[in-house]
């Protein structure tokens, strides 16, 4: 027989493993319900074991970006991943448990507390970390997924917890189920699909350039001819738009008229949207998306929400750069915010990478179509890559808008306003995905 403490730990571990499987690339989303039933308990050992196991397993891929640079010891990668996991875990589960305890472990209060903390950690500290939000799992569940529309993913999180804990409620089960049906019905009936013009044809280019190549200037330059070949293949089908992923070229925007002459020539007839690094004098870097057409740069969007410890080092960590060289990397500058490119009568928003995780920011892109430019080569074929794309599916559903998921190493996809993947280029494949609306 297991003693009480050990039993509580085992239950927390089991719940944490089920939570991980729900958010993993295996996409066993239905396991979120037994996971929360097992893990969200009044017993402190179970609650915290569940929280740490869930986040540790689901975010272990965070070590990969530092490993990919090849410049830092493995210890740095592991320490960095653990630092983020512990931080997010303590905010989500530490704060939730503390407030729940103050409310005398009221079961009806727990879902609201948990979701309020989800919202808090989506924006604080620094840029926040809106990852592993429980409502994300609903995008694969018929009918329930429409609960994401009226109140975004956070409303979905609330419903997920209430349904998971339903056996624990002594009263009000009919009221809870009625509320779920009502919210789901409102979401389904309030949909206003945002469709591009019928026949509008896009070509998504997936270069599949490994990150180790992108980090080597000479090696990346050697990849450029093969990227051009993919562009020519896309161009030959005469689509209305060609799209390339984040930071897809081995030169800066200021060099495009010299080093990208052939690229500009291809844009004479067909508009091209691509991700590119931009440097302003004296040395101010931006992570940008640009629209090329008629042989020139017509418009650009600069990434607004930057990744802490990836694109900038938050204060006061910058002060530790003499001890941890990684903290001394140059900070990117923020762009002004959401905007739409105009392409042949179609408005297109181009949030970049991490920005797709912010539901209210994506709503600011009031465009006919959203193309998310990303480079998940940093994360290889890990859970992180697949979690990222699933978040994009949630944004498509929330906004009733098609999303083009344009990823360097894949998968790249066309996602419907229902959150379904309509067409996909798998991970690790070089090619062009064509789609007509």
């Amino acid at each position: 027989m297991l003693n009480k403490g050990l039993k509580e730990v085992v239950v927390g571990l089991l719940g944490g493993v089920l939570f991980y499987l729900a958010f993993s690339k295996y996409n066993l989303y239905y396991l979120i319900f037994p996971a929360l039933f097992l893990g969200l308990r009044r017993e402190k050992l179970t609650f915290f074991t569940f929280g740490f196991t869930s986040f540790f397993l689901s975010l272990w891929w965070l070590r990969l970006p530092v490993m990919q640079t090849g410049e830092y010891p493995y210890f740095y990668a592991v320490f960095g991943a653990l630092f983020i996991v512990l931080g997010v875990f303590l905010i989500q589960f530490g704060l939730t448990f503390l407030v729940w305890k103050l409310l005398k472990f009221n079961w009806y209060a727990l879902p609201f507390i948990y979701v309020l903390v989800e919202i808090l950690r989506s924006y604080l500290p620094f840029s926040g970390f809106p990852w592993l939000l429980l409502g994300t799992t609903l995008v694969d569940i018929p009918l329930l997924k429409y609960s994401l529309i009226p109140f975004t993913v956070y409303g979905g999180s609330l419903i997920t917890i209430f349904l998971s804990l339903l056996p624990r409620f002594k009263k009000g089960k009919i009221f809870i189920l009625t509320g779920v049906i009502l919210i789901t019905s409102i979401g389904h009936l309030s949909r206003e699909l945002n469709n591009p013009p019928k026949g509008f044809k896009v070509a998504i280019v997936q270069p599949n350039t490994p990150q180790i190549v992108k980090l080597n200037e000479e090696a990346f330059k050697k990849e450029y001819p093969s990227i051009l070949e993919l562009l020519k293949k896309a161009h030959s089908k005469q689509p209305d738009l060609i799209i390339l992923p984040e930071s897809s070229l081995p030169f800066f925007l200021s060099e495009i008229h010299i080093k990208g002459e052939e690229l500009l020539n291809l844009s004479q007839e067909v508009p091209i949207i691509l991700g590119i690094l931009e440097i302003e004098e004296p040395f101010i870097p931006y992570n940008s998306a640009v629209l090329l057409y008629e042989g020139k740069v017509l418009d650009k969007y600069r990434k607004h929400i930057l990744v802490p410890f990836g694109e900038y080092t938050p204060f006061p960590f910058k002060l530790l750069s003499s001890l941890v060289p990684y903290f001394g990397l140059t900070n990117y500058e923020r762009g002004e915010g959401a905007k739409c490119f105009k392409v042949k009568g179609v408005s297109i928003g181009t949030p970049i990478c991490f920005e797709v995780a912010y539901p209210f920011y994506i709503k600011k892109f009031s465009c006919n179509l959203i193309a998310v430019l990303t480079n998940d080569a940093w994360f290889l074929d890990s859970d992180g890559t697949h979690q990222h794309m699933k978040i994009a599916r949630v944004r498509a559903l929330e906004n009733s808008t098609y999303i083009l998921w344009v990823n360097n190493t894949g998968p790249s996809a066309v996602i419907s306003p229902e959150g379904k993947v309509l067409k996909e280029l798998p991970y690790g494949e070089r090619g062009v995905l064509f789609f007509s609306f």
Side-chain angles (χ1 to χ4, degrees):
M1 292 288 293
L2 297 175
N3 63 43
K4 183 182 177 184
L6 186 56
K7 183 179 178 181
E8 289 176 6
V9 170
V10 170
V11 171
L13 285 171
L14 178 59
V17 171
L18 295 179
F19 182 103
Y20 160 69
L21 291 172
F23 279 94
S24 72
K25 62 184 180 181
Y26 307 110
N27 197 29
L28 305 179
Y29 54 88
Y30 46 86
L31 294 180
I32 194 62
F33 299 106
L36 296 175
F37 179 75
L38 287 171
L40 297 182
R41 292 172 177 256
R42 292 166 175 162
E43 293 82 10
K44 187 186 295 185
L45 266 178
T46 298
F47 192 90
F48 286 104
T49 301
F50 167 68
F52 182 77
T53 304
S54 299
F55 279 24
F56 175 77
L57 293 177
S58 301
L59 296 175
W60 184 231
W61 55 267
L62 284 169
R63 75 197 188 283
L64 296 174
V66 176
M67 291 173 59
Q68 289 270 46
T69 67
E71 297 179 11
Y72 305 99
Y74 182 69
F75 167 78
Y76 278 29
V78 172
F79 177 80
L82 285 174
F83 175 78
I84 297 172
V85 169
L86 279 171
V88 179
F89 155 72
L90 288 173
I91 293 171
Q92 183 65 70
F93 286 88
L95 193 53
T96 297
F97 192 85
L98 177 63
V99 176
W100 192 29
K101 185 178 180 181
L102 290 174
L103 295 176
K104 299 181 180 180
F105 295 111
N106 185 303
W107 283 111
Y108 299 94
L110 178 58
F112 294 99
I113 299 166
Y114 190 99
V115 173
L116 285 172
V117 176
E118 273 196 345
I119 295 170
L120 176 69
R121 73 170 172 88
S122 294
Y123 297 94
L124 295 171
F126 317 125
S127 305
F129 192 61
W131 216 268
L132 302 183
L133 304 179
L134 301 179
T136 306
T137 57
L138 297 187
V139 74
D140 285 304
I141 302 179
L143 299 180
L144 277 180
K145 68 182 183 179
Y146 296 118
S147 66
L148 300 171
I149 296 174
F151 302 112
T152 74
V153 68
Y154 301 111
S157 292
L158 193 66
I159 284 176
T160 303
I161 302 174
F162 267 115
L163 290 178
S164 299
L165 300 182
L166 201 60
R168 300 205 183 281
F169 300 123
K170 294 181 180 179
K171 298 178 181 179
K173 292 180 182 179
I174 298 299
F175 178 77
I176 291 169
L177 291 173
T178 302
V180 170
I181 293 169
L182 183 62
I183 292 170
T184 301
S185 301
I186 290 171
H188 187 267
L189 295 172
S190 65
R191 289 178 304 153
E192 293 182 10
L193 299 184
N194 195 359
N195 296 327
K198 191 172 182 180
F200 188 79
K201 185 177 180 181
V202 297
I204 297 174
V205 175
Q206 184 170 295
N208 193 34
T209 307
Q211 193 58 34
I212 194 169
V213 171
K214 291 171 74 73
L215 292 171
N216 183 310
E217 186 178 354
E218 291 304 314
F220 198 5
K221 285 178 181 176
K222 291 178 181 177
E223 284 287 306
Y224 185 52
S226 64
I227 295 172
L228 281 175
E229 285 304 311
L230 288 174
L231 273 166
K232 290 173 183 176
K233 178 181 177 181
H235 187 275
S236 67
K237 302 290 185 181
Q238 288 296 294
D240 295 295
L241 176 66
I242 299 172
I243 315 178
L244 283 83
E246 176 188 16
S247 60
S248 52
L249 302 178
F251 48 79
F252 300 124
L253 180 58
S254 57
E255 303 174 300
I256 198 166
H257 292 285
I258 301 170
K259 298 181 179 180
E261 185 178 357
E262 196 168 354
L263 173 65
L264 291 174
N265 288 337
L266 288 171
S267 76
Q268 289 284 357
E269 297 176 2
V270 179
I272 299 173
I273 290 176
L274 56 84
I276 191 168
L277 298 182
E278 180 185 1
I279 305 292
E280 277 196 351
E281 296 295 340
F283 190 81
I284 304 173
Y286 293 92
N287 190 350
S288 299
V290 298
L291 169 62
L292 309 178
Y293 192 36
E294 297 177 340
K296 57 189 176 183
V297 179
L298 281 190
D299 205 351
K300 63 185 174 183
Y301 164 77
R302 290 167 167 173
K303 189 177 182 184
H304 179 67
I305 303 176
L306 303 179
V307 181
F309 303 105
E311 292 171 315
Y312 77 99
T313 302
F315 182 84
F317 295 95
K318 199 77 171 176
L319 302 176
L320 302 175
S321 58
S322 58
L323 298 174
V324 184
Y326 184 82
F327 290 159
L329 297 176
T330 301
N331 288 344
Y332 281 76
E333 290 293 317
R334 295 175 64 189
E336 294 180 358
K339 66 183 296 185
C340 303
F341 294 154
K342 300 292 184 180
V343 177
K344 298 184 176 181
V346 178
S347 60
I348 302 172
T350 56
I352 298 173
C353 190
F354 189 55
E355 292 180 320
V356 77
Y358 293 83
F360 300 115
Y361 183 66
I362 297 302
K363 283 187 177 296
K364 293 180 180 179
F365 289 89
S366 299
C367 313
N368 301 130
L369 182 63
I370 293 175
V372 183
L373 279 54
T374 189
N375 171 34
D376 289 351
W378 287 105
F379 312 124
L380 304 175
D381 189 23
S382 70
D383 295 315
T385 295
H386 295 268
Q387 289 166 7
H388 201 187
M389 182 168 151
K390 190 163 186 175
I391 290 170
R393 293 174 56 207
V394 172
R395 296 294 91 84
L397 183 59
E398 288 172 344
N399 294 279
S400 298
T401 301
Y402 282 93
I403 284 185
L404 306 179
W405 184 247
V406 189
N407 195 350
N408 169 28
T409 48
S412 295
V414 178
I415 303 169
S416 78
E418 294 273 327
K420 295 179 180 179
V421 175
L422 299 179
K423 198 171 183 181
E424 180 178 355
L425 264 179
Y427 172 84
E429 186 174 307
R430 175 174 289 185
V432 182
L433 188 159
F434 295 97
F435 186 84
S436 294
F437 292 96

